[in-house]
Amino acid sequence: MTKPIIVANWKMNTLADQARRLVRRIVELSAEQHLDSVGTVVLCPPFVNISIVRSELTDTAIELGGQNCWTEPYGAYTGEVSAEMLRAVGCSYVIVGHSERRTIFGEDDEIVLRKMLRAWEASLIPIVCVGETLHQRQMHQTWDVLRRQLGNIAQHQDRSRAWVCAYEPVWAIGTGIAAEPEQIEQAHLYLRSFLDGHGCSHVPLIYGGSVNANNAAEIFAVPNVDGALVGTASLVAESFVAIIRASHDAHRTTT
Ligand code: 13P
C-alpha cells in the first residue's frame, strides 16, 4: 500500500457539541497511538461544523474537507456553498459526486466534472466518487458505469492537479456489508488501469462502502487500494482510529 489516505465522511450527522467531542477524541486517540506520521487523514464534517472541527485540529496533521460544493465561486445560489468558501474556512479537500448527491439530488456526470474543476480553481483537492448500483452490477454494467463516470473527468486531466478517486459501490454504502475483497480487487484493477491510461497514475484510489474496524485490514491488503472513504464507522472515534491504524499497518508491511 502506498501512503494511505483515510477520509471520514460524517454526512448529515453531528450537532455542534457532538462534532467537538468526536474530533477531540479522534485527535486524542491518534496522538496516543502515534498515528500522525504516515499518510493523510481527512475529516469531512457538515458545513456548519467545519469551523468547530478546525479549531480542534490546530497543531495536528489531520486535514479538513467539505462534503460537497457548488460549481460557481459565489452568487445567487441559495443554500449552496462554494469551494472558495470551504478553502477560506480551512478545508483542503472536497468530496464531489458522492452517490447520495447523484441519486437523491440528481447530480449528473457533467455537474460532477464542473465541481471538480471548481475545486481545483479554489486550490482544493477533489475526492471524486464513482460506483455502480446493485442493479447495474447485476446487469453486468459495472465497467460501463465506471468508464462513463470517469470519462469526461479523464478528458480534463492536468497532471499538475491533485485529486483522489473513491470507488464506492452504491450497494455497499450504509448497508454494513462491504464488497468482497475479490470484488474490490477487480474494480480497483479496472479503475487503476483506466486512470493510468489517462495520465492519472498519480491519483490515489480509495475504497468506500461499509469499511469498519473489523474489515479494514482485509480491505487494505487488496492490491491497488490506497485508503478508505468511511461513513458510519467514522462517527465513532475508536472505530475510525482503528481504521487509520490498520492503514498504517498495511503500509508498513508493504514498504
Ligand atoms: P458507510 O461507511 O456508512 O457505508 O458510508 C460510505 C460512504 O458513503 C462514505 O462516503
Side-chain angles (χ1 to χ4, degrees):
M1 186 188 222
T2 55
K3 281 194 167 190
I5 166 162
I6 307 296
V7 184
N9 178 5
W10 291 0
K11 306 193 180 181
M12 199 178 73
N13 295 294
T14 67
L15 301 178
D17 272 354
Q18 295 169 324
R20 192 176 292 109
R21 277 201 301 274
L22 178 55
V23 64
R24 278 188 186 161
R25 189 78 183 126
I26 290 171
V27 168
E28 194 177 77
L29 289 171
S30 304
E32 272 171 26
Q33 300 179 33
H34 308 290
L35 295 178
D36 262 5
S37 52
V38 185
T40 305
V41 174
V42 186
L43 304 184
C44 302
F47 295 140
V48 291
N49 290 336
I50 287 176
S51 292
I52 292 169
V53 172
R54 186 187 58 170
S55 64
E56 301 293 333
L57 293 180
T58 319
D59 299 329
T60 77
I62 298 176
E63 309 228 37
L64 261 178
Q67 296 176 15
N68 181 35
C69 66
W70 184 235
T71 59
E72 304 302 322
Y74 59 87
Y77 302 100
T78 302
E80 289 295 338
V81 165
S82 72
E84 283 76 1
M85 291 171 184
L86 293 174
R87 181 79 204 165
V89 290
C91 290
S92 33
Y93 289 80
V94 62
I95 299 170
V96 298
H98 192 280
S99 72
E100 287 148 19
R101 299 295 320 170
R102 292 177 190 263
T103 54
I104 304 170
F105 301 98
E107 295 185 5
D108 61 15
D109 295 328
E110 177 62 26
I111 291 272
V112 175
L113 171 66
R114 286 170 58 201
K115 290 184 174 191
M116 181 181 195
L117 297 175
R118 175 53 54 195
W120 278 339
E121 286 297 312
S123 303
L124 293 180
I125 299 176
I127 300 167
V128 182
C129 303
V130 296
E132 80 287 0
T133 62
L134 184 59
H135 178 71
Q136 289 164 334
R137 176 164 279 263
Q138 286 168 340
M139 301 300 283
H140 306 286
Q141 294 169 351
T142 300
W143 311 140
D144 293 342
V145 170
L146 297 180
R147 209 168 37 239
R148 192 201 69 228
Q149 289 176 332
L150 280 180
N152 57 359
I153 286 172
Q155 278 169 19
H156 286 78
Q157 275 320 297
D158 173 344
R159 276 162 209 261
S160 66
R161 305 285 203 181
W163 61 287
V164 176
C165 182
Y167 172 60
E168 293 208 307
V170 178
W171 46 273
I173 294 176
T175 59
I177 302 168
E180 293 295 328
E182 298 74 33
Q183 294 171 314
I184 300 174
E185 182 170 354
Q186 286 170 0
H188 277 237
L189 182 62
Y190 180 84
L191 288 167
R192 184 74 271 161
S193 47
F194 184 93
L195 292 170
D196 290 354
H198 289 81
C200 301
S201 47
H202 63 295
V203 173
L205 183 51
I206 64 178
Y207 168 80
S210 297
V211 177
N212 60 43
N214 297 324
N215 62 20
E218 187 179 35
I219 290 170
F220 295 146
V222 173
N224 298 307
V225 172
D226 302 315
L229 179 50
V230 188
T232 311
S234 72
L235 294 168
V236 178
E238 285 71 14
S239 306
F240 185 61
V241 172
I243 293 167
I244 300 171
R245 199 175 52 239
S247 75
H248 284 214
D249 294 344
H251 175 67
R252 213 171 294 122
T253 52
T254 50
T255 50

